[in-house]
């Protein structure tokens, strides 16, 4: 498992934004992964996606790495942010905008506002 942990650590640190998910950003394989990828895609965030369904060691390894039991998992600048519920809450409250701003991650602020307007 050490090799997988090293692989995950390198991926998380080499990319500003990483989403460990079931499926890919183009073809999510579960509703929760689809929701988070949809938010990031709509907001125009550039991110690396890692399909945990492609590798059982990564699927378990990411849960061990973050000490978080579920996928998807979002990382920004090497830090674990959360899963679907947390990302949804952060998007609706504006906290995700703030997190991206503070970390120099480019995103479409108008798109973020539209998500909030549609869910008000």
């Amino acid at each position: 498992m050490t090799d997988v942990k090293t692989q995950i650590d390198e991926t998380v640190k080499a990319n500003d934004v990483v989403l460990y998910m079931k499926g890919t950003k183009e073809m999510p394989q579960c509703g929760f992964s689809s929701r988070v990828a949809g938010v990031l895609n709509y907001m125009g965030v550039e991110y690396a996606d890692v399909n945990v369904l492609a590798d059982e060691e990564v699927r378990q390894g990411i849960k061990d790495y973050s000490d978080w039991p579920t996928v998807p998992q979002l990382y920004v600048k090497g830090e674990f942010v959360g899963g679907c519920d947390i990302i949804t809450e952060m998007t609706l409250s504006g906290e995700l905008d703030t997190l991206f701003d503070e970390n120099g991650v480019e995103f479409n602020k108008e798109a973020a506002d539209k998500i909030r307007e549609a869910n008000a």
Side-chain angles (χ1 to χ4, degrees):
M1 197 58 114
T2 306
D3 291 341
V4 171
K5 185 177 184 205
T6 301
Q7 175 188 340
I8 290 168
D9 197 53
E10 288 173 356
T11 300
V12 165
K13 290 179 178 165
N15 298 280
D16 287 347
V17 182
V18 181
L19 181 62
Y20 281 83
M21 61 184 293
K22 293 179 180 176
T24 64
K25 58 180 149 186
E26 295 86 13
M27 179 100 43
Q29 301 278 308
C30 88
F32 299 115
S33 292
S34 180
R35 181 179 297 171
V36 177
V39 165
L40 296 175
N41 292 342
Y42 189 74
M43 290 173 61
V45 176
E46 285 192 31
Y47 65 101
D49 56 332
V50 179
N51 181 1
V52 300
L53 298 177
D55 187 332
E56 184 58 41
E57 284 188 26
V58 172
R59 186 175 183 174
Q60 183 56 49
I62 194 61
K63 296 173 185 178
D64 296 338
Y65 181 82
S66 63
D67 198 25
W68 189 260
T70 59
V71 171
Q73 294 186 14
L74 183 69
Y75 291 79
V76 175
K77 294 284 186 168
E79 296 295 321
F80 174 59
V81 180
C84 183
D85 290 346
I86 290 170
I87 300 309
T88 300
E89 288 174 22
M90 290 179 73
T91 302
L92 297 178
S93 72
E95 287 177 85
L96 193 60
D97 299 35
T98 302
L99 179 69
F100 287 157
D101 280 336
E102 288 173 349
N103 286 284
V105 174
E106 289 188 27
F107 69 100
N108 183 324
K109 290 179 179 21
E110 287 180 20
D113 289 340
K114 284 183 182 176
I115 292 171
R116 283 187 282 280
E117 287 169 18
N119 289 278

